[in-house]
């Protein structure tokens, strides 16, 4: 834990782009958001609302055009190992085995030999991939590939974990298991998580706070406190409170989905 | 055993060749019997003519090929990574794209005459383009998020190029190399047929002119075998390098 | 328009440097004749009808051979993909034929078919056919089996399956094979003409080379490039026409 009082501070971020053929589009319009340390924060909205763009800006992958993003380590200007990221399509290095993938970030930190090996092994065990260390990503199922990607990101011990629809490519059963495991890991490691999704139930199940975003231009429409993630009840999914919350958030999202559909998404 | 079964069709073709020739359906001039061609091949090999000409051919061709791989790879990489270089070189690569490479034979004849240099340069020019294109397209085609992943794991920009872009572009690079290798053999033989004083292509042409058809067929067999062996060896090597692929 | 000019600027610069070097006598005109000399030569060939005749001859040989390669190669590829026995027989032949420098057979074809057009055309066909076969086989094998199943479920027979499902579904790959084979056809036609002499772009260029007529060599290269460009552009247009329905030409 950093002990600092800020997790992520987003101040007045506006971001636009011009597609090859078309008129300039405002993807994010004057976004301000304050995320506490150790908070599990979900960005929820229809496709095209700019939620992934916001995540990539926090990651430092794209240049901030207007506004400011700060973390406990100062202004975000470039990618760094303090902000680990997990992508929807895993982005594992296909020419490296699982353990080589996990070791990659550790070696960049200066860890070598048996130390890196042991640390990588620990995180592979953590995501239940024991026995698949020497497999290439192409030999694994989607769920296993995503476990490997998560292990690779957790191994460098980032303050902040950025996740871009990480379970979007997985089947329903695997997704549920992965959600529960992610929560378990998050509770143990207490990281700040920013989790992009368009699945309402997923956001409600995982997040402390949900930013419900509007379609183009991307704005934060509502902030919702969910906090079912603090519960120990394994059947929290079935509780009336949970169902009510999903229904309530879904109503907020529905208008946006309709609007997005009219804009041709 | 499996390999033998796999290549049985080649034996069948050889047998048919032998039968057609022996049966007198076509004259022995037009199609010398396979067994005679094989015997001639052994004689040619023993005389040392085959080896000296093969060395001459392959020596200059491989030099031109190697030069094209190094320079073409470097140019393609520079084009993919530096926008300025791309803007400067791409139009020039594009206008040479539709040029049938064999049209350069008279050019290297004028520039370098009949010696080794002309064939070496021709192979170099012919292999340059597939190498530039494969390197460029390979590096350009790498998924952006792979680079992002590496950056967020602590890699520098240079490390991303070396440790992510190049391995990710390897499949395309290998395809380009294989194309260049085929071009190498094609240009080697065609230039030697037209402008040369030695080499396997020259040997085929001059045996044909002299009416020594057995020798001509024997040399063609050698060239075919070389092309096949090179391609198989290349495929085995590339399969090993790309063993991570599904 | 401006963008096109900006894109072409490196070529203009190259030509200007070349012309400048020739004007200042930095290179021997024999090794590198000035662009205006080469342009003059091309113009002369166009006026006299020399270019048109040579280009037509070369294109005729290349395109007939190419068409034969497609007519043989596509059905052969489909057959190899769909019949196990044919595949067993043809696979080793293709794996030997594919990487071999086919031009080495030119003296054989001269021996069999004489020194006129037939041997050149057969040579072109032989050189081009392997690329077509390989692409057609890969294309046929790659047809989505669910697509085949659903067509069968709707009652398509063997012939209909071929005509209405396999042919269109594998068309992109067939065309890719042809797009590889077309430049090969031109390369081979030009090389065959050089070896056998006589009319055609290759023969004319080699004659120029043998007489140390370097403007003739350079104008020949440009002329051959133009012919290549026209052929490649025609093939691209054909692809665009045949694949109107394909995502390739309907970006989202």
């Amino acid at each position: 834990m950093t002990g600092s009082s800020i997790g992520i501070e987003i101040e007045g971020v506006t971001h636009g782009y011009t597609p090859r053929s078309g008129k300039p589009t405002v993807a994010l319009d004057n976004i301000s958001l304050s995320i506490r340390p150790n908070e599990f924060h979900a960005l929820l909205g229809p496709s095209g609302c700019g939620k992934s763009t916001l995540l990539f800006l926090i990651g430092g992958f794209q240049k901030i055009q207007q506004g400011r993003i700060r973390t406990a380590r100062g202004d975000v200007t470039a990618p760094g190992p303090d902000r680990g990221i997990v992508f929807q399509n895993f982005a594992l290095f296909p020419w490296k085995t699982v353990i080589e993938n996990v070791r990659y970030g550790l070696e960049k930190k200066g860890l070598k030999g048996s130390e890196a090996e042991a640390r990588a092994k620990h995180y592979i065990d953590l995501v239940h991939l024991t026995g698949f260390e020497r497999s290439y990503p192409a030999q694994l199922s989607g769920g296993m590939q995503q476990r490997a990607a998560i292990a690779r990101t957790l191994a460098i011990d980032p303050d902040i974990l950025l996740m871009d629809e990480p379970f979007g490519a997985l089947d329903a059963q695997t997704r549920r298991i992965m959600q529960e495991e992610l929560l378990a890991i998050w509770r143990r490691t207490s990281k700040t998580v920013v989790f992009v999704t368009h699945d309402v139930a997923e956001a409600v199940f995982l997040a402390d706070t949900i930013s419900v975003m509007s379609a183009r231009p991307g704005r934060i429409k509502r902030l919702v406190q969910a906090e079912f993630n603090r519960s120990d009840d394994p059947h929290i999914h079935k509780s009336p409170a949970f169902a009510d919350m999903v229904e309530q958030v879904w109503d907020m999202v529905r208008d946006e989905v309709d609007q997005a559909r009219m804009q041709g998404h | 055993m499996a390999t033998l079964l796999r290549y049985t069709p080649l034996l069948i073709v050889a047998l048919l060749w032998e039968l057609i020739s022996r049966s007198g359906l076509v004259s022995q001039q037009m199609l010398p019997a396979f067994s005679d061609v094989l015997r001639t091949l052994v004689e040619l090999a023993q005389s040392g003519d085959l080896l000296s000409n093969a060395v001459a051919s392959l020596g200059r061709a491989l030099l031109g090929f190697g030069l094209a791989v190094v320079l073409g790879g470097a140019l393609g990489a520079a084009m993919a990574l530096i926008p300025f270089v791309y803007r400067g070189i791409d139009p020039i690569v594009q206008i040479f794209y539709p040029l049938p490479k064999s049209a350069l034979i008279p050019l290297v004849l004028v520039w370098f005459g009949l010696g080794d240099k002309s064939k070496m340069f021709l192979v170099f020019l012919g292999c340059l383009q597939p190498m530039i294109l494969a390197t460029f397209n390979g590096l350009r085609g790498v998924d952006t998020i792979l680079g992002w992943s590496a950056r967020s794991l602590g890699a520098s920009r240079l490390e991303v190029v070396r440790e992510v872009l190049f391995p990710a572009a390897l499949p395309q690079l290998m395809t380009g190399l294989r194309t260049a290798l085929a071009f190498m053999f094609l240009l080697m033989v065609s230039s030697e047929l037209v402008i040369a004083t030695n080499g396997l292509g020259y040997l085929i042409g001059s045996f044909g002119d002299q009416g020594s058809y057995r020798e001509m067929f024997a040399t063609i067999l050698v060239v075919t075998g070389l092309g096949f062996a090179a391609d198989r060896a290349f495929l085995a090597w590339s399969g090993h390098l790309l063993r991570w692929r599904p | 328009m401006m963008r096109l000019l900006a894109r072409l600027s490196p070529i203009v610069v190259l030509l200007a440097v070349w012309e400048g070097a020739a004007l200042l006598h930095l290179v021997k005109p024999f090794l590198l004749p000035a662009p205006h000399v080469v342009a003059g030569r091309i113009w002369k060939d166009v006026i006299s009808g020399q270019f048109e005749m040579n280009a037509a001859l070369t294109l005729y040989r290349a395109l007939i051979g190419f068409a034969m390669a497609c007519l043989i190669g596509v059905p052969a590829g489909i057959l190899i993909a769909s019949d196990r026995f044919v595949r067993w027989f043809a696979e080793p032949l293709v794996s030997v034929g594919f990487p071999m420098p086919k031009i080495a057979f030119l003296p054989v074809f001269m021996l069999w078919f004489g020194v006129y057009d037939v041997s050149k055309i057969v040579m072109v066909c032989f050189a081009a056919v392997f690329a077509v076969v390989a692409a057609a086989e890969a294309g046929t094998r790659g047809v989505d089996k669910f697509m085949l199943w659903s067509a069968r479920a709707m009652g398509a027979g063997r012939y209909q399956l071929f005509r209405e499902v396999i042919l269109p579904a594998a068309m992109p790959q067939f065309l890719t094979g042809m797009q590889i084979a077309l430049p090969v056809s031109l390369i081979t036609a030009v090389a065959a003409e050089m070896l056998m002499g006589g009319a055609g772009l290759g023969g004319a260029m080699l004659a120029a080379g043998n007489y140390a007529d370097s403007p003739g060599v350079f104008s020949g290269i440009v002329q051959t490039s133009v012919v290549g460009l026209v052929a490649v552009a025609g093939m691209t247009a054909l692809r665009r026409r045949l694949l109107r329905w394909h995502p390739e030409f309907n970006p989202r």
Side-chain angles (χ1 to χ4, degrees):
Chain A
M1 256 186 265
T2 52
S4 166
S5 59
I6 66 165
I8 305 166
E9 286 296 330
I10 300 164
E11 296 163 20
V13 166
T14 296
H15 198 85
Y17 63 93
T18 312
R20 194 171 287 243
S21 54
K23 47 180 195 271
T25 309
V26 181
L28 295 172
D29 184 23
N30 195 20
I31 303 267
S32 292
L33 186 62
S34 181
I35 299 172
R36 287 171 284 115
N38 312 339
E39 177 180 331
F40 199 122
H41 193 101
L43 298 174
L44 176 71
S47 65
C49 75
K51 53 196 192 297
S52 291
T53 305
L54 183 57
L55 194 80
F56 296 158
L57 289 173
I58 300 171
F61 303 114
Q62 294 180 344
K63 248 208 172 73
I64 299 169
Q65 293 168 346
Q66 218 184 93
R68 210 176 158 199
I69 299 178
R70 281 183 306 142
T71 68
R73 298 184 187 228
D75 275 42
V76 168
T77 54
D82 57 317
R83 283 152 290 137
I85 185 156
V86 177
F87 294 98
Q88 176 172 9
N89 293 319
F90 327 133
L92 290 165
F93 304 127
W95 56 91
K96 287 180 186 291
T97 60
V98 167
I99 196 154
E100 285 167 351
N101 264 286
V102 179
R103 281 183 58 147
Y104 185 81
L106 296 172
E107 280 157 14
K108 290 285 163 250
K109 278 194 152 179
L111 264 68
K112 287 192 190 72
S114 57
E115 201 187 347
E117 192 79 8
R119 179 99 167 256
K121 188 81 182 59
H122 168 75
Y123 282 97
I124 289 170
D125 294 344
L126 184 73
V127 298
H128 306 303
L129 269 183
T130 316
F132 293 95
E133 291 86 350
R134 311 282 159 208
S135 301
Y136 286 107
Q139 298 164 331
L140 304 178
S141 69
M144 290 161 89
Q145 290 189 50
Q146 195 57 295
R147 287 166 197 273
I150 292 171
R152 181 176 70 172
T153 304
L154 288 177
I156 58 169
D157 195 22
D159 306 340
I160 296 165
L161 192 54
L162 306 172
M163 306 187 94
D164 184 23
E165 303 197 33
F167 307 143
L170 309 180
D171 62 81
Q173 291 97 320
T174 313
R175 191 182 313 152
R176 168 67 67 86
I177 294 166
M178 295 289 284
Q179 286 166 357
E180 281 165 9
E181 287 181 5
L182 174 65
L183 272 189
I185 292 170
W186 169 71
R187 287 198 192 107
R188 238 178 307 162
T189 54
S190 60
K191 295 186 185 308
T192 312
V193 179
V194 184
F195 190 102
V196 165
T197 181
H198 59 248
D199 180 337
V200 174
E202 182 171 68
V204 173
F205 180 64
L206 290 174
D208 291 312
T209 313
I210 303 168
S211 288
V212 180
M213 294 183 67
S214 67
R216 236 161 248 175
R219 293 195 182 109
I220 292 176
K221 195 173 152 191
R222 290 281 292 276
L223 283 177
V224 180
Q225 302 297 319
E227 293 182 353
F228 291 97
N229 57 10
R230 308 278 171 182
S231 157
D232 293 331
D233 180 5
H235 301 294
I236 192 82
H237 279 100
K238 292 177 186 145
S239 72
F242 185 85
D244 282 353
M245 175 70 84
V246 170
E247 203 52 38
Q248 201 185 322
V249 175
W250 177 231
D251 283 340
M252 294 175 205
V253 172
R254 182 173 296 150
D255 308 340
E256 300 306 325
V257 174
D258 288 345
Q259 254 187 39
R261 196 173 295 152
M262 269 150 57
Q263 290 171 2
H265 286 282
Chain B
M1 193 57 212
T3 323
L4 191 70
L5 194 72
R6 214 184 135 211
Y7 287 106
T8 311
L10 290 179
L11 286 177
I12 297 175
V13 169
L15 210 69
L16 277 177
W17 174 355
E18 182 78 23
L19 279 176
I20 290 173
S21 175
R22 294 280 174 210
S23 69
L25 277 176
V26 293
S27 80
Q28 293 267 339
Q29 277 282 336
M30 295 288 232
L31 189 69
F34 182 65
S35 53
D36 289 340
V37 172
L38 274 188
R39 201 173 312 122
T40 312
L41 177 59
V42 173
E43 285 164 20
L44 277 177
Q46 280 167 344
S47 75
D49 283 357
L50 221 42
L51 187 68
S52 63
N53 282 291
V55 168
S57 285
L58 288 176
R60 56 198 177 211
L62 284 172
L63 260 171
F65 174 77
L67 222 59
V69 169
V70 173
L71 213 76
L75 271 177
M79 278 170 67
L81 302 173
I82 312 167
F84 172 77
V85 176
Y86 171 74
R87 281 196 296 273
I89 295 181
D90 183 58
I92 296 169
V93 174
Q94 294 292 334
I95 56 163
F96 282 110
Y97 181 74
L99 170 71
K101 306 282 172 284
S102 51
L104 294 170
I105 293 177
L107 178 74
V108 298
L109 171 66
V110 170
W111 277 359
F112 299 108
L114 290 173
D116 287 345
K117 261 189 250 160
S118 55
K119 268 79 70 188
M120 200 192 93
F121 193 69
L122 180 74
V123 169
F124 166 71
L125 283 181
C127 297
L128 193 60
Q129 191 192 2
M131 281 318 298
I132 292 179
L133 287 179
T135 316
F136 173 75
N137 290 330
L139 289 174
R140 268 298 177 87
V142 177
D143 194 344
T144 323
I145 64 165
L146 273 189
W148 287 6
S149 278
R151 290 277 283 149
S152 79
L153 291 167
S156 68
R157 281 174 202 280
L158 192 70
E159 283 169 333
V160 169
V161 172
R162 208 177 50 220
E163 294 163 5
V164 178
L165 290 187
F166 272 99
L170 198 60
Q172 288 245 38
L173 282 175
M174 296 310 275
T175 310
L177 267 176
R178 192 176 174 212
T179 310
L181 196 66
F183 267 124
M184 181 194 89
F185 274 104
L186 167 67
L187 291 173
M188 179 185 97
V189 174
S190 46
S191 64
E192 287 174 356
L193 278 168
V194 184
I195 49 160
T197 52
N198 63 357
L200 292 171
Y202 169 78
L203 223 51
I204 294 172
S206 62
F207 281 139
D209 291 343
Q210 296 159 20
S212 317
Y213 296 124
R214 279 185 197 173
E215 286 80 359
M216 181 179 88
F217 276 96
T219 317
I220 292 174
L221 274 189
V222 171
V223 171
T224 303
L226 277 177
F228 177 65
D231 192 54
R232 284 291 122 172
F234 182 83
L235 284 181
W237 178 55
S238 121
H240 174 73
L241 280 184
L242 302 178
R243 61 190 176 282
W244 46 270
R245 287 213 299 184
Chain C
M1 193 59 210
M2 278 311 289
R3 208 181 274 177
L4 184 73
L5 280 179
R7 252 182 75 72
L8 287 178
S9 59
I11 296 170
V12 176
V13 171
L14 188 75
L15 283 174
V17 171
W18 179 2
E19 183 75 50
L23 280 176
L24 297 172
H25 301 289
L26 295 177
V27 290
K28 285 190 195 140
F30 169 64
L31 291 181
L32 202 62
H36 76 266
V37 175
V38 176
R41 179 58 172 269
I42 296 171
W43 182 239
K44 207 187 94 194
D45 285 350
V46 171
I47 294 289
S48 69
Q50 196 74 27
F51 165 67
E52 290 85 337
M53 192 195 76
N54 284 333
L57 260 177
T58 303
L59 265 179
Y60 156 73
R61 290 163 183 154
L63 291 184
I64 298 283
F66 170 72
M68 279 167 55
C70 296
L71 287 178
I72 298 169
V74 170
I78 295 173
L79 210 60
I80 292 173
S82 37
D83 189 294
R84 274 184 58 194
F85 177 73
V86 176
R87 177 152 70 240
W88 167 79
F89 188 78
E91 223 163 34
L93 301 183
V94 173
S95 69
V96 171
F98 193 75
M100 110 185 129
K102 267 76 74 179
I103 194 82
F105 281 77
L106 185 54
V108 175
F109 293 136
M110 284 164 69
L111 172 65
W112 288 351
F113 305 110
V115 291
Y116 298 106
D117 278 349
V118 178
S119 55
K120 292 181 188 126
I121 290 171
V122 172
M123 181 68 240
V124 169
C125 172
F126 183 63
V129 76
F130 288 95
V132 180
V133 171
E137 188 202 344
T140 311
R141 281 222 239 181
V143 174
D144 185 13
K145 71 167 182 272
F146 297 110
M147 212 191 299
L148 290 176
W149 288 356
S150 52
R152 288 250 289 279
M154 288 183 275
R158 230 182 126 84
Y159 174 72
Q160 284 169 317
L161 211 59
F162 167 74
R163 250 218 71 140
E164 287 158 14
V165 183
I166 296 178
L167 205 60
M171 188 55 82
Q173 293 255 37
F174 294 169
L175 287 169
T176 301
M178 293 181 199
Q179 279 175 310
I180 297 169
L182 184 62
V184 172
S185 303
L186 281 169
I187 292 176
T188 311
V190 170
E193 288 172 352
M194 280 182 189
L195 185 67
M196 292 154 80
L201 290 168
M205 282 175 77
L206 194 74
N210 281 331
Y211 292 126
D213 166 18
S214 48
V217 170
F218 275 86
S219 72
I221 292 177
V222 177
Q223 291 170 9
T224 318
S225 284
V226 170
V227 168
L229 185 69
V230 170
V232 168
M235 195 68 218
T236 312
L238 182 69
R239 185 184 186 98
R240 191 174 283 275
R241 177 78 184 71
L242 287 176
L243 298 184
R244 274 164 308 179
W245 51 272
H246 200 266
E248 185 182 323
F249 293 114
N250 299 286
R252 284 202 45 190

